[in-house]
Amino acid sequence: MIKHLLVLCIFFILRNLHTAEARVRHYKWEVKYEYKSPDCFKKLVITINGKTPGPTIQAEEGDTIIVEVTNNLGTENLAIHWHGIRQIGTPWADGTEGVTQCPTLPGDTMKYQFVVDRPGTYLYHAHYGMQRGAGLYGLIRVTPRGPEPFVYDFDRSIILNDWYHQSTYEQAFGLASNPFVWVGEPQSLIINGKGRFNCSTISASSLSSTGGVCNTSNPDCSPYVLTVIPGKTYRLRIGSLTGLSALSFQIEGHNMTVVEADGNYVEPFVVKNLFIYSGETYSVLVKADQDPSRNYWITSNVVSRNRTTPAGLATFNYYPNHPKRSPPTSPPTPPAWDDAEPRVAQSLAIKAHHGYINKPPTTSDRVIVFLNTQNTINGIRRWSVNNVSFSLPHTPYLIALKQNLKNAFHSTPPPEGYDFINYDIFSPANNSNATSSNGLYRLKFDTTVDIILQNANTMNKNNSETHPWHLHGHDFWVLGYGEGKFDKNNDPKKYNLENPIMKNTVVVHPYGWTALRFRANNPGVWAFHCHIEAHFFMGMGVVFEEGIDRVGKLPSSILGCGQTKGVNRP
């Protein structure tokens, strides 16, 4: 009997050891252009293995991910960023063209290999030019090996996006032109790659001139359906990869309990509208506890910009109702687009879960203030930070620094602040001209850095925009938000040092400021930029270097451009 129990114990121990082992998860992707109709309007989009959004990467914490990406775009380069994955020990796999790698050339294959070191909901997307807006994006789901501080019955994912009918080439050309041509508001909002544009608003002559086709009966744009079982609780992993829009997400008649943000557990709080900005991810718990005899609307709506884009619509389908059965009601009324108060209130409500608090250092070693403004350079409209508009070098920073390549980028670091006393953030800048630079910020390794994001007026009177900022290679503590101009003497006294949430993407609200703190303890070179595609393209970004001497040998696959042109790749 004892011998039998001993054998059983050994069996269970070995089985648990086996299940606890990290796995290698291998993906092979072909990236190419195909004609698709995500919102019923047919256009060329970038697909992964024939699909947009691309396949979801599913893994357990500690697993190694290998993605072999073949670039079959024909005439375009390619790079893919693994958004929210810190790339500890693999900074060259961050997938940021011009920062951590040379782009993958047409016909070539790039192998990304990295470890997903913690559970959570993350994203991936193109990081070359404005390709993200052409459909190259997807979700990363990393499950924990232990329990989580909440329970649910089923796990589902939703990616929100906005959608343009113009190509990203046309958009980029307009943004870099004189006179300046803005991208405008998106034509549609799509949910899990599906939306429905009103084709009747396009004239036949317009379709003919563009060679376009708009067909609402196309199954490509059949609205997304989330089928639920009455009485069950669902974890919805919601990610936004909009090119421009801040969104409000709502499930008609249902409350949502926020439990995770950017891979970090949240002290739960309940919302009816989830405000979500480009680059953010949230997990919410939703219980299917309403009248099960009908279906309900899922909606996304633009906030923070004058709403001209129709709502994104999907169906919350109570089984066994038919999934195509429309809800008997009109879609719920969205929040007022220009009411910032509830958006700020949600930002302030997000705190670290009481069982998972990672307190920040009480002081910082360095404070850098970033003033976001619109400016012009040689008549071209740009965004700038402290009056400097960011531009990418031809030789990626990681390569240039590691191989000691001289003159690969500007040696003068950008400014760490602005004229705090005299600058009026509520008026267009008196000095409308900026300079362009690809200089970077050198951070002393393992020091604590504070970043103050300061919003201001654009070049248009009485206008300040919403900017979601994303930091590569790190999570940061969100110490606080405020209205108006940051007061460096008094506002730090109000910082939340007890239970601040950690995130990789955070919003700075119109005419407001946001304070962040992070440890510069991940050797590499990391981009920090506005996650609005057009804004980053127009120069709203910076780059940090830390511990470059601790970075291992670079793989040859990231070489081949700028001063490394002609270097053989494997």
Side-chain angles (χ1 to χ4, degrees):
M1 182 65 178
I2 295 174
K3 184 178 179 181
H4 179 66
L5 287 172
L6 184 61
V7 170
L8 278 176
C9 287
I10 293 171
F11 169 76
F12 282 114
I13 290 170
L14 290 174
R15 189 181 71 170
N16 289 336
L17 282 173
H18 175 73
T19 56
E21 287 179 359
R23 292 177 53 189
V24 177
R25 299 178 186 262
H26 208 134
Y27 296 84
K28 287 192 175 184
W29 290 354
E30 180 193 19
V31 176
K32 65 178 180 179
Y33 272 107
E34 296 184 63
Y35 280 106
K36 297 284 184 181
S37 305
D39 71 342
C40 306
F41 181 88
K42 184 179 179 182
K43 62 170 285 189
L44 276 174
V45 305
I46 299 178
T47 63
I48 299 175
N49 296 346
K51 295 182 178 180
T52 179
T56 295
I57 291 177
Q58 302 196 57
E60 283 188 298
E61 63 175 310
D63 285 354
T64 296
I65 306 297
I66 299 175
V67 188
E68 293 185 55
V69 181
T70 299
N71 178 2
N72 280 336
L73 294 175
T75 59
E76 292 183 37
N77 297 335
L78 176 67
I80 298 179
H81 169 53
W82 315 96
H83 182 116
I85 307 302
R86 292 176 294 181
Q87 301 294 351
I88 297 171
T90 53
W92 47 80
D94 189 53
T96 313
E97 181 268 334
V99 179
T100 61
Q101 69 164 86
C102 292
T104 305
L105 302 177
D108 285 355
T109 297
M110 175 77 172
K111 184 173 82 170
Y112 292 97
Q113 181 169 332
F114 52 89
V115 173
V116 287
D117 63 300
R118 64 214 168 120
T121 307
Y122 308 103
L123 304 162
Y124 66 82
H125 58 80
H127 219 295
Y128 178 84
M130 294 179 67
Q131 284 177 344
R132 189 179 92 214
L136 203 170
Y137 63 92
L139 201 75
I140 303 172
R141 289 169 44 162
V142 184
T143 56
R145 296 189 180 274
E148 293 184 285
F150 46 84
V151 294
Y152 52 90
D153 299 300
F154 299 100
D155 195 335
R156 300 288 184 266
S157 303
I158 294 176
I159 303 184
L160 306 176
N161 215 335
D162 49 13
W163 195 248
Y164 288 87
H165 293 167
Q166 261 194 335
S167 71
T168 55
Y169 276 119
E170 292 172 291
Q171 290 181 326
F173 182 80
L175 294 173
S177 295
N178 187 5
F180 174 74
V181 181
W182 175 237
V183 298
E185 300 303 309
Q187 280 65 61
S188 301
L189 298 179
I190 58 178
I191 299 175
N192 273 359
K194 293 176 178 292
R196 182 152 293 187
F197 180 73
N198 184 358
C199 295
S200 65
T201 62
I202 307 178
S203 67
S205 60
S206 176
L207 281 174
S208 176
S209 65
T210 60
V213 173
C214 197
N215 179 7
T216 55
S217 64
N218 190 321
D220 268 7
C221 59
S222 178
Y224 171 68
V225 176
L226 175 61
T227 300
V228 298
I229 298 170
K232 298 297 184 181
T233 298
Y234 289 79
R235 177 186 187 165
L236 303 184
R237 300 175 185 260
I238 304 168
S240 173
L241 280 169
T242 53
L244 174 66
S245 310
L247 298 176
S248 166
F249 176 84
Q250 188 173 356
I251 302 175
E252 179 191 11
H254 293 72
N255 288 331
M256 296 177 284
T257 302
V258 181
V259 294
E260 179 215 347
D262 290 359
N264 294 281
Y265 296 129
V266 170
E267 189 65 20
F269 66 97
V270 177
V271 297
K272 283 193 175 295
N273 287 284
L274 177 72
F275 297 107
I276 185 168
Y277 307 91
S278 180
E280 286 191 316
T281 65
Y282 289 98
S283 283
V284 300
L285 301 183
V286 180
K287 188 170 184 180
D289 58 2
Q290 299 300 301
D291 178 3
S293 67
R294 54 160 291 191
N295 291 336
Y296 297 82
W297 292 108
I298 298 173
T299 62
S300 67
N301 280 279
V302 173
V303 291
S304 190
R305 299 184 68 87
N306 195 346
R307 186 182 296 129
T308 60
T309 307
L313 298 176
T315 303
F316 199 68
N317 165 230
Y318 271 75
Y319 181 84
N321 298 326
H322 196 283
K324 291 190 177 180
R325 181 179 170 189
S326 290
T329 51
S330 298
T333 302
W337 72 267
D338 55 353
D339 184 2
E341 187 175 341
R343 301 198 303 274
V344 174
Q346 179 183 296
S347 294
L348 293 170
I350 304 174
K351 311 294 184 187
H353 190 283
H354 66 270
Y356 296 84
I357 295 173
N358 180 9
K359 285 192 177 184
T362 54
T363 60
S364 64
D365 301 299
R366 185 173 177 182
V367 179
I368 306 175
V369 181
F370 290 144
L371 174 70
N372 305 328
T373 58
Q374 272 186 345
N375 304 84
T376 56
I377 298 178
N378 299 325
I380 306 295
R381 182 71 61 92
R382 300 285 291 177
W383 280 97
S384 66
V385 177
N386 296 340
N387 217 48
V388 175
S389 188
F390 176 70
S391 59
L392 285 167
H394 295 296
T395 305
Y397 296 100
L398 182 64
I399 300 169
L401 289 165
K402 195 63 185 169
Q403 298 195 351
N404 199 27
L405 301 175
K406 304 295 185 182
N407 304 317
F409 56 88
H410 296 143
S411 58
T412 302
E416 303 205 2
Y418 67 103
D419 185 350
F420 302 101
I421 296 173
N422 297 312
Y423 193 93
D424 179 9
I425 68 166
F426 297 101
S427 302
N430 290 326
N431 174 20
S432 61
N433 291 317
T435 58
S436 179
S437 173
N438 54 29
L440 52 67
Y441 293 87
R442 310 291 290 263
L443 306 179
K444 186 177 179 182
F445 186 72
D446 206 29
T447 57
T448 301
V449 181
D450 279 5
I451 302 295
I452 313 301
L453 295 168
Q454 176 68 66
N455 219 336
N457 206 95
T458 67
M459 294 183 77
N460 302 316
K461 287 184 178 180
N462 302 316
N463 175 252
S464 180
E465 299 192 3
T466 297
H467 301 290
W469 277 74
H470 171 56
L471 177 59
H472 295 222
H474 300 271
D475 278 359
F476 47 71
W477 291 277
V478 183
L479 300 185
Y481 301 85
E483 297 179 359
K485 189 185 291 187
F486 178 76
D487 182 336
K488 62 182 179 180
N489 295 317
N490 294 311
D491 284 329
K493 299 173 184 176
K494 307 170 192 173
Y495 285 170
N496 175 15
L497 300 177
E498 293 302 310
N499 60 349
I501 190 64
M502 297 192 78
K503 296 180 95 270
N504 62 62
T505 304
V506 73
V507 64
V508 54
H509 295 286
Y511 295 116
W513 56 264
T514 302
L516 321 174
R517 180 169 291 173
F518 71 97
R519 294 287 293 178
N521 58 3
N522 189 9
V525 186
W526 309 108
F528 182 45
H529 61 93
C530 179
H531 213 258
I532 292 173
E533 279 282 71
H535 289 184
F536 183 45
F537 181 86
M538 294 166 65
M540 190 184 288
V542 299
V543 169
F544 298 123
E545 175 275 321
E546 61 203 57
I548 195 71
D549 56 314
R550 299 167 183 258
V551 173
K553 183 180 178 182
L554 303 181
S556 60
S557 58
I558 68 169
L559 308 177
C561 60
Q563 293 186 30
T564 67
K565 191 174 291 183
V567 174
N568 291 330
R569 297 188 181 196

